[in-house]
Amino acid sequence: LLLEPSSTNLITFSEDFSGYVNQNTTDTANATTSPDGANNGTQLTNTTTSSNYIYRQVTLSTSTAYSISVFVKKGTSNIARLDTWDTTGSTQASVQINLDTEAISIITGTASFEKYSNDWYRLKVSFTSSGSLGTTYYRIFNDDGVNGSYIYMFGAMLEQQAYCTSYIPTAGTTITRAAETC
């Protein structure tokens, strides 16, 4: 039996990327069918040829294990990346995937992916928050470097533990799932 522990999604709007900062990208909500079957996948489109990502700042406890995940799907771009970095500019964990070949590059830290139906992939990174600053940024990249290309994204999740558990949707508050029992 595979039983999951209690976990909390610390991202308060897991399916709404409108509060993120766009870096040479635009995001369009409700652009495709997400893994849950609703039309709530977001399109992330490059507006230049480099440094194309969307990011969010979160405050974390220092020297603590965390995991971040997001669902991605190929659009006209086939390269997606998820990473975290601290205020010193140090990357804590990073994973890149080719959505055509499933070739994965773990740039740093602990990372993996999981394949879902309808060509969705869940990118996952785990890390220990660094330094005494406690501020971390996580970024979702459309990483092919082509102006106008796009990927889809859905369901961001941040957990305070050393690995990702199953997705917990949120809509305005953090949500905690109880531990499963047998």
Side-chain angles (χ1 to χ4, degrees):
L1 294 174
L2 297 175
L3 301 176
E4 287 194 304
S6 174
S7 189
T8 300
N9 187 350
L10 300 172
I11 297 173
T12 55
F13 287 97
S14 63
E15 298 169 12
D16 180 0
F17 295 94
S18 64
Y20 287 60
V21 177
N22 283 286
Q23 176 69 39
N24 301 323
T25 58
T26 59
D27 59 280
T28 307
N30 306 321
T32 193
T33 303
S34 69
D36 71 3
N39 187 40
N40 56 357
T42 298
Q43 181 175 309
L44 182 64
T45 305
N46 289 348
T47 59
T48 66
T49 58
S50 65
S51 297
N52 301 296
Y53 56 88
I54 191 168
Y55 72 93
R56 183 161 200 147
Q57 177 182 332
V58 291
T59 302
L60 307 177
S61 299
T62 58
S63 303
T64 303
Y66 288 94
S67 295
I68 295 178
S69 63
V70 68
F71 292 86
V72 294
K73 181 179 179 177
K74 178 183 175 183
T76 58
S77 173
N78 66 333
I79 305 294
R81 181 166 39 128
L82 172 65
D83 74 14
T84 67
W85 86 100
D86 63 22
T87 54
T88 67
S90 175
T91 301
Q92 299 170 347
S94 183
V95 62
Q96 184 180 60
I97 186 170
N98 181 313
L99 298 166
D100 285 332
T101 65
E102 297 182 359
I104 188 171
S105 299
I106 299 172
I107 299 163
T108 186
T110 304
S112 63
F113 75 90
E114 187 175 353
K115 187 172 184 176
Y116 284 74
S117 61
N118 296 333
D119 299 319
W120 283 94
Y121 292 83
R122 186 175 180 206
L123 295 179
K124 307 173 188 181
V125 295
S126 299
F127 63 99
T128 299
S129 56
S130 61
S132 60
L133 300 172
T135 299
T136 294
Y137 302 87
Y138 65 93
R139 301 182 286 191
I140 305 162
F141 283 80
N142 175 0
D143 217 19
D144 71 352
V146 176
N147 188 11
S149 71
Y150 60 89
I151 61 168
Y152 298 106
M153 57 189 177
F154 170 81
M157 185 162 159
L158 169 64
E159 305 172 80
Q160 186 178 328
Q161 60 185 16
Y163 60 92
C164 293
T165 64
S166 61
Y167 174 60
I168 303 168
T170 62
T173 63
T174 62
I175 300 290
T176 300
R177 178 188 53 242
E180 296 177 329
T181 59
C182 179

